[in-house]
Amino acid sequence: MVSSLRAWGRRAFAIDTRSLAAFRMAIGAVVCADALLRSRDFPLMFGADGMFPLEVLPRHFGDRWAWSLAFLVDADWWTAVILALEGIAGALLAVGFRTRLATVVAWMAVVSVIRRTPLATNAGDLWLSCLLFWGMFLPLGSAWSIDARTSPSRRRQALAGGGEVMSIASAALVLQIAAVYLGAGLAKWNDSWFSGTAVAHALSVHDHGTHLGSLLASHPLVASLLTWGVLAVELSAPCLLLAVPTPAARLAVASVFLFMHAAIAVLMSVGLFAYVGMAAWLAVLPGFFWEWTAGERLAGAGADSCTPGFSDSAPVSWSVRAARGLCAVCLGVAFVSFVHENTSWRGSPLPQPIRAAIRLACLEQDWGMFGEVPHQAQWVYGRAELADGRVVDLLRGGRPLETVLPAGGFLSLPHHRWHKIFWELPKPPLRIFSPSIAAALARDWNRTHASPEQVKSLEIRFARLGDFPAPGTLQELLLASWPPRNESGRGNLDRWLEEHRPGDDD
């Protein structure tokens, strides 16, 4: 029994060093891209007078365990340093130079950026931080890296054909990948997915779809097949990955998900999520895949034996033992977080020490993406009155205002980060950012426009057209305004006097 369990564990959790190298290069490229893409909105999202002021963030997180290097200094130059560190660490990770240190720095920078811009963060960002966390405990630089070329022992191993990593950290990485899809699949166990309409609604440009995705969603049969297919694949893949861990099965599952994430990148506006997913699945490609791509014989493919590599049974120093112990503890913390976030225990508060550990490691395991996808269309617009009397949509670069189903939907916003912000802002706990978001947008516009085009007033409104409480119901919510207004949306005294000057018509 023990021998069988060990053989199963090795097949399920051992990772080929070449797959780890491919994962390292891909995840490093994603980290680099994240730093570069985020720099587009640096003044708005990272500036001291931007959308997310440092004095508001502690109220949002609610405890001191949600750390970020960006919280240390409230200055633009300091946040720029963190973004630069993220980009540099990603580049070093991609080429495999000082890999361990680069992974640690990349993880710290990514977590810091995530916590600095909470409303602009999606599941892909959190998944990226989790993958980097487990990567700190793995020999990511053992193949296809500058480190491997400069290390005699690793170079000998690379020349011998690579090896496998079998450790607590490799098990944690595989389980992390499985957890994302299991959590997403469990969240989809509802009528909106059973009806076969969820994907059609999600691919609308008034949800998360691209123009191509919206076109695909217009074919009901195709959309229904995709809905049921996504549900089946997300629930079955973790079982196949763990319960049937043969090289052929692992390659088949990885191929399906690599294709699925490529389709997500084309059909949906979800930021870097699709690319993080593709990087993750590279890590579990079986060793014979690399032999096949290199034109080598597939002798021994599927055998239970493990090629020489890294194992927990090898002699280790006390520091390595401490790292393994820490990894094991963190794996337990992640497991508790997954159970809490994806079961009926979600409403119960976690003990403070466990909650603190989850926050410190940034191992939140809430993967219920697209759980409920009701039949509705949603949009946001920024009604701005300019000094020259024009009324424009500030969120869409000053184009003419459309208050109902604006052309392009969320795709007409600058990019996915803006899309995410205004998806999150309607949630009551997140409305604490409303004043700073409206003020930052108005300041940013006025900074780049002449006096006749200066913004006099701004209202950011979120609207929903759906079947609740009755079919065809249009609901609209004032999210934010500048200058600030009260909750009922009525103007302040200064605005009233400006709009009702003596001699004006009522």
Side-chain angles (χ1 to χ4, degrees), residues 19 56 58 84 177 386 398 443 445 447 492 500:
S19 299
V56 180
I177 296 170
L386 305 184
R443 279 195 299 266
W445 175 276
R447 188 163 44 236
N492 55 29
H500 296 80

Side-chain angles (χ1 to χ4, degrees), residues 192 197-209 214 217 370-379 405 409-410 419 422-423 426-427 462-475:
S192 68
T197 61
V199 166
H201 299 156
L203 291 183
S204 164
V205 293
H206 293 292
D207 199 277
H208 283 78
S214 188
F370 298 98
E372 291 279 353
V373 189
H375 182 201
Q376 61 185 13
Q378 303 175 88
W379 61 93
L405 295 171
F410 284 103
H419 178 170
F422 296 111
W423 263 80
K427 299 176 182 177
F462 183 85
R464 179 183 291 115
L465 180 64
D467 295 337
F468 182 82
T473 300
L474 176 62
Q475 299 171 313

Side-chain angles (χ1 to χ4, degrees), residues 362-382:
C362 198
L363 286 175
E364 288 89 349
Q365 300 292 317
D366 181 6
W367 307 115
M369 297 88 73
F370 298 98
E372 291 279 353
V373 189
H375 182 201
Q376 61 185 13
Q378 303 175 88
W379 61 93
V380 65
Y381 63 89

